Amino acid sequence: MMRSRFSAFALGDAAYLRHSWHSATRPERLELDAGTRWTRLEIVETGQGGLFDSAGTVRFRAHYREGGRAGVLAEHSRFAREDGRWVYLDALPQ
């Protein structure tokens, strides 16, 4: 799920991002910054999220370029099953 959402950010696919977001935390609208180019995803750590789990976490670093400068977004995300499929729930505090 994390990799597909990163790809959606890289491609600017806001519809997929909203579809893969938990209904309780999904924003009504999502506007992506066209000036941000997502370049690489590093999965740092995962917790749960297996076949029989209903929740899981992913700690990651997403690399990007914006205005000619490189940057990194680090997040510890929570995912949950909703209607039988994995969706992004929210970010845990750092």
Side-chain angles (χ1 to χ4, degrees):
M1 173 55 55
M2 185 66 238
R3 291 183 196 286
S4 71
R5 284 182 56 84
F6 175 82
S7 295
F9 272 105
L11 295 170
D13 189 348
Y16 177 79
L17 290 166
R18 287 194 73 254
H19 178 74
S20 62
W21 212 308
H22 196 280
S23 62
T25 57
R26 179 186 309 129
E28 195 167 308
R29 298 178 66 213
L30 182 62
E31 294 184 29
L32 302 176
D33 186 350
T36 303
R37 194 176 116 232
W38 296 97
T39 58
R40 184 166 57 104
L41 175 66
E42 288 179 79
I43 302 295
V44 177
E45 174 186 9
T46 61
Q48 297 179 308
L51 184 61
F52 300 107
D53 294 322
S54 60
T57 61
V58 177
R59 188 180 304 270
F60 70 90
R61 286 191 289 265
H63 298 260
Y64 63 91
R65 294 200 62 81
E66 187 173 74
R69 293 191 168 160
V72 177
L73 168 73
E75 184 174 301
H76 192 183
S77 299
R78 290 193 310 161
F79 291 84
R81 285 193 196 268
E82 184 174 54
D83 298 328
R85 62 186 178 87
W86 285 106
V87 291
Y88 172 78
L89 183 58
D90 60 12
L92 293 166
Q94 293 293 333

